[in-house]
C-alpha cells in the first residue's frame, strides 16, 4: 500500500517536472558555472588533500546541488496550499508518509539527473575519478536531497507565505555551505574553523564523496559519511512525516 501510494504521488510530480524541461536543466546552471569559472583557478594549487583540484571541487558541487536545490523545494508546497491542492489531497486515502516520499523521491531523481550532467561536464574538463566513486557521489546526492527536501516541506507547511520561508532557508543554507567545505577543503581553514565545521553534518558527506573520488571506499571518512547521511535522512523523513500528519496534508 505504501509503495503503491508513493508511486502514485511520485508519478504525479514527475509528470509535472517533465512538462517543465527548462526548470529541470536550469537547476544545474549555477554548479556548472562554478565548474567552468572556479575550477580552473584551483588547478595546481596545494589543497591539502588527496586528489587533484577536480576531485576536490566536483564532489562539493554535487552536494551543493542537493543542498540548495532541496532546501528550497518547500516553495512548491506553499504554492499548492494557496491553490488548494494540499486541501484536496487531505481528503484522499493516500498515507501521509506516501505524500512526503512521493515528493522527495521526485526531487532526488531530478537532482541525481542534474548531478549526472554536472559530472559529464566535469569529465570533459579533466575530471578523472573511479566509476565507484562517481556512483557513490550520486547516492549521497540522493540521500541528501531526501533529507533536506523532507525538512523543507515540513517548514513550508508551518509557514503561510514565501516571505517567511525564504529567509529561514537562506539563514541555514549559507552557513552550511561555508562550514562544510563545499568549495574548498576545510584542511585549508584555521584550526578553530576546522573544529567548528565538524559540528556541521554536511562536512562528513563532503569528505566521504571526496574519498570516493580518489578510490578510498573503506576509510573513516566514508564510514562517517554513510552513518551521518543515513541518520540525517532517517531523522528528517520522520520529522517531515509527523508535520504532514499534524498539518492534515
Amino acid at each position: 500500500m505504501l509503495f503503491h501510494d508513493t508511486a502514485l504521488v511520485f508519478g504525479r510530480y514527475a509528470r509535472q517536472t517533465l512538462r517543465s524541461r527548462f526548470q529541470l536543466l536550469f537547476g544545474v546552471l549555477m554548479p556548472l558555472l562554478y565548474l567552468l569559472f572556479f575550477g580552473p583557478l584551483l588547478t595546481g594549487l596545494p589543497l591539502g588533500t588527496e586528489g587533484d583540484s577536480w576531485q576536490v571541487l566536483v564532489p562539493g558541487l554535487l552536494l551543493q546541488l542537493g543542498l540548495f536545490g532541496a532546501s528550497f523545494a518547500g516553495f512548491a508546497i506553499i504554492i499548492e496550499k494557496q491553490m488548494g491542492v494540499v486541501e484536496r489531497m487531505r481528503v484522499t486515502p493516500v498515507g501521509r508518509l506516501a505524500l512526503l516520499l512521493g515528493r522527495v523521491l521526485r526531487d532526488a531523481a531530478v537532482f541525481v539527473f542534474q548531478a549526472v550532467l554536472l559530472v559529464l561536464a566535469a569529465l570533459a574538463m579533466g575530471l578523472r575519478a573511479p566509476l565507484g566513486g562517481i556512483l557513490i557521489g550520486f547516492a549521497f546526492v540522493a540521500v541528501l536531497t531526501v533529507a533536506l527536501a523532507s525538512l523543507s516541506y515540513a517548514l513550508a507547511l508551518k509557514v503561510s507565505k514565501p516571505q517567511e520561508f525564504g529567509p529561514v532557508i537562506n539563514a541555514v543554507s549559507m552557513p552550511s555551505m561555508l562550514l562544510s567545505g563545499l568549495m574548498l577543503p576545510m584542511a585549508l581553514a584555521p584550526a578553530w574553523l576546522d573544529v567548528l565545521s565538524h559540528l556541521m553534518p554536511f562536512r562528513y558527506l563532503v569528505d566521504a564523496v571526496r574519498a570516493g573520488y580518489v578510490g578510498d571506499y573503506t576509510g573513516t571518512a566514508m564510514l562517517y559519511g554513510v552513518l551521518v547521511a543515513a541518520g540525517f535522512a532517517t531523522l528528517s523523513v520522520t520529522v517531515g512525516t509527523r508535520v504532514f500528519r499534524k498539518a492534515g496534508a
Side-chain angles (χ1 to χ4, degrees), residues 29-61:
L29 179 60
M30 186 58 68
L32 188 59
L33 291 177
Y34 273 108
L35 183 71
L36 293 174
F37 300 129
F38 189 66
L41 298 177
L42 301 181
T43 304
L45 292 181
L47 299 177
T49 62
E50 293 184 42
D52 59 24
S53 59
W54 297 113
Q55 290 170 319
V56 171
L57 178 62
V58 174
L61 292 179

Side-chain angles (χ1 to χ4, degrees), residues 198-223:
H198 281 89
L199 302 177
M200 184 64 61
F202 307 121
R203 158 77 186 264
Y204 300 95
L205 276 64
V206 175
D207 288 347
V209 178
R210 284 180 176 149
Y213 266 56
V214 296
D216 182 8
Y217 306 132
T218 58
T220 56
M222 185 65 67
L223 175 62

